[in-house]
Structures are given as C-alpha cells and as structure tokens.
Amino acid sequence: MSDTPVKQQNTAAYYAQAVASFSLALGAVAIGIYQLEASAWVRAFLAVAVLYLTTSAFTLAKVVRDRQEAGQIVSRVDQARLEKLLAEHDPFQKL
C-alpha cells in the first residue's frame, strides 16, 4: 500500500484573502509614496523599487513552488520503483 500525499487545494476564501491583502499592501505603499514630502524623482525611484520588489517576490515564490513540486515528482518515482521491486520479490524463492 502506498502513502501518496493528498494534494491540498486552497479554498476560494483563502485565495480572495490573499489577493485582498496583497492589494491593500500595494495600495498603502502607493499612497505613502504619493503623500511623501519629497521631489518627484525620489517618489518615482521609490515606486520603481516597490514594483521591482513585488515582481522579485512573485518570481521567488514561483521558484520555491517549482522546486518543491519537482521534489515531489522525484519522490513519487522513487516510491514507485521501490513498490515494484517489493512486489516482484519472492522471499521464499530458492537461490
């Protein structure tokens, strides 16, 4: 018998909460930069920095997720090979 892990699915409410949280944080930073007592160049630099940080965070999350999924696939292949060997093995076979 194999103990294959059950793939967990996020609920719609969890997804909505994540999107709302991200939107709120990005909006708060945008308002903070807009209200900042600084020249337009400084505000533009901060805005570009926030966009760069945001895209980098998305990329990092994707890379981590992809590495985890690749590890699960390798683990499943190894598990299948082991199960095949155990199924073919006859402990009472004469040598």
Side-chain angles (χ1 to χ4, degrees), residues 1-88:
M1 177 166 68
S2 69
D3 294 327
T4 57
V6 176
K7 186 171 182 176
Q8 296 178 352
Q9 296 290 332
N10 293 332
T11 63
Y14 181 78
Y15 179 76
Q17 182 181 3
V19 170
S21 175
F22 173 76
S23 301
L24 183 68
L26 195 58
V29 170
I31 291 170
I33 290 173
Y34 179 76
Q35 295 292 329
L36 189 65
E37 296 287 333
S39 68
W41 285 106
V42 172
R43 289 194 305 241
F45 174 78
L46 290 174
V48 169
V50 167
L51 290 176
Y52 178 61
L53 180 64
T54 302
T55 57
S56 296
F58 278 116
T59 303
L60 177 63
K62 183 184 179 313
V63 167
V64 169
R65 184 200 63 205
D66 290 348
R67 179 175 279 186
Q68 180 186 13
E69 287 178 353
Q72 288 177 347
I73 290 171
V74 169
S75 176
R76 285 185 182 176
V77 169
D78 290 342
Q79 182 68 26
R81 286 181 184 158
L82 178 63
E83 287 180 3
K84 182 182 177 202
L85 285 173
L86 290 174
E88 293 174 350

